[in-house]
Amino acid sequence: MLRPARVEECAALTDLVLRSKAHWGYSDAFMESCREELAVTPERLAAQPCFVLERDGMPAGIWALDLSAAVPEVALMFADPAVIGGGVGRLLWQHMAVELRRMGHDRVRLDADPNAEPFYERMGCRQIGMQASPSTGRMLKRYEADATVVLTTKRLALRCYAPGEDAALYPIMSDPVTMRFWPQPYDREGVAAWVSRWIVSYAENGYGRWALFERETGERIGDAGLIRTVLMGQEVIDLGYIIHHPYWRQGYAVEAAAAIRDHAFEVLGIGRLVANMAHDHAGSARVAEKIGMAKVAEFDNPRNRGIRTFFYEIRKP
């Protein structure tokens, strides 16, 4: 569970941060020199967004953001030594990025401990300079990251839409082959409304549909993500995917959908996902089944020409 830090646990969270820092073999004198900079205090919680990753009722990680500059700075990003290397850092980073996007920020900066440089580079950070540590004076690499990148997989990158991006998406969503299972291909106004809808959803929900790119080539190959909607009289979060037809049958939909499923359960705290597809869209049904979804109902979909539609779901383990 990821939740806001509480004032009454400041001492325990400070201990977690210091134990995490000391994990890399720093001396007692060095640790004392940076204690004030790293302390989790009521004043910090009042001034900075600060979230805790809780496992089995105990804090396992923490992140905090300094919003005092035009570009937010990572103030804290620490995992308990017992779970370092187990994916906690990735969850913390992805959750922090969700909150950045919700607040309307598209970039974040940080000064990295040398031992953490490989982690930040895996998270997509790029070095922009060097900076002296305010507590120890040593020179640290200064990084910046694009907070609009939501997820990366082996072959794919999912990124938030930006205003005006509808022109680049139009060739995909207007294509009659790619959109053959939808009510109809989208016109230019429809694609513009599609992009605008998700930009609003990022701020309201922390998620939406995202642009899908092939990492190696940088080619835009589709759209995928999460929609808060109503299906069969239920308020649900629908996992959807559109892959441009030149890229069909290459496993991209499964790769994207599996990553979105994990992000929804682990980072966003969503407990149930659904998917729906036309009864004759066998490829989409196979994608749902390959990521662990099961068909639980069928219905005539008033939003898609009244055709018979399969309704799949998966619940957080």
Side-chain angles (χ1 to χ4, degrees):
M1 179 174 66
L2 280 148
R3 57 165 177 79
R6 298 189 286 258
V7 171
E8 62 269 22
E9 59 184 347
C10 281
L13 294 176
T14 297
D15 179 66
L16 183 154
V17 169
L18 294 176
R19 283 188 290 106
S20 181
K21 187 80 168 180
H23 170 75
W24 301 108
Y26 290 120
S27 67
D28 291 344
F30 178 91
M31 291 303 304
E32 192 58 36
S33 70
C34 54
R35 174 181 291 273
E36 183 177 351
E37 179 188 356
L38 299 179
V40 182
T41 63
E43 292 75 20
R44 182 189 291 276
L45 300 190
Q48 299 178 353
C50 185
F51 280 76
V52 173
L53 175 64
E54 186 177 291
R55 284 187 170 177
D56 300 324
M58 298 294 293
I62 183 173
W63 67 258
L65 281 171
D66 182 346
L67 303 177
S68 60
V71 178
E73 298 264 347
V74 177
L76 300 174
M77 177 73 64
F78 291 97
D80 188 288
V83 296
I84 287 176
V88 165
R90 176 182 60 83
L91 296 181
L92 292 169
W93 181 269
Q94 290 180 350
H95 185 261
M96 181 193 69
V98 170
E99 294 302 314
L100 279 165
R101 294 189 291 270
R102 198 193 303 272
M103 293 184 287
H105 296 288
D106 61 3
R107 291 178 296 157
V108 66
R109 292 176 178 168
L110 61 99
D111 300 328
D113 184 292
N115 298 286
E117 290 170 6
F119 165 75
Y120 288 121
E121 290 168 4
R122 287 196 302 273
M123 296 302 103
C125 297
R126 60 180 183 86
Q127 187 180 353
I128 59 172
M130 300 291 292
Q131 182 111 325
S133 166
S135 56
T136 66
R138 63 176 179 164
M139 297 301 294
L140 302 174
K141 287 185 180 179
R142 185 154 177 77
Y143 287 95
E144 183 173 283
D146 181 355
T148 68
V149 177
V150 180
L151 290 169
T152 58
T153 68
K154 182 178 181 180
R155 298 183 295 168
L156 301 172
L158 290 92
R159 182 180 55 72
C160 294
Y161 286 110
E165 199 168 340
D166 49 286
L169 180 61
Y170 176 74
I172 294 176
M173 296 196 67
S174 65
D175 186 277
V177 177
T178 298
M179 304 300 288
R180 61 179 289 198
F181 296 103
W182 287 64
Q184 61 187 19
Y186 276 61
D187 59 18
R188 291 190 181 277
E189 290 183 358
V191 178
W194 179 268
V195 169
S196 296
R197 177 184 179 186
W198 307 128
I199 292 173
V200 172
S201 181
Y202 304 149
E204 292 182 347
N205 302 307
Y207 56 82
R209 295 286 290 241
W210 301 300
L212 187 61
F213 295 88
E214 197 175 50
R215 290 181 65 183
E216 184 174 349
T217 64
E219 289 293 319
R220 183 186 301 267
I221 68 169
D223 166 285
L226 302 166
I227 303 175
R228 183 181 292 275
T229 187
V230 175
L231 290 171
M232 297 184 64
Q234 308 171 43
E235 185 173 306
V236 297
I237 298 176
D238 185 80
L239 195 167
Y241 29 85
I242 299 170
I243 306 297
H244 198 22
H245 73 86
Y247 301 93
W248 285 358
R249 300 181 182 88
Q250 298 180 51
Y252 287 129
V254 173
E255 190 170 328
I260 294 167
R261 172 204 62 199
D262 294 346
H263 183 72
F265 289 158
E266 297 174 357
V267 178
L268 300 175
I270 294 169
R272 177 191 182 224
L273 295 172
V274 307
N276 75 98
M277 67 286 297
H279 67 92
D280 57 346
H281 196 346
S284 185
R286 283 196 297 271
V287 171
E289 290 164 1
K290 284 182 178 180
I291 68 165
M293 287 185 158
K295 189 175 80 169
V296 294
E298 298 181 13
F299 67 104
D300 297 324
N301 192 349
R303 298 180 182 176
N304 192 1
R305 300 159 287 172
I307 62 177
R308 199 65 178 166
T309 297
F310 292 163
F311 185 84
Y312 279 74
E313 75 167 14
I314 185 172
R315 296 182 182 272
K316 182 176 180 179

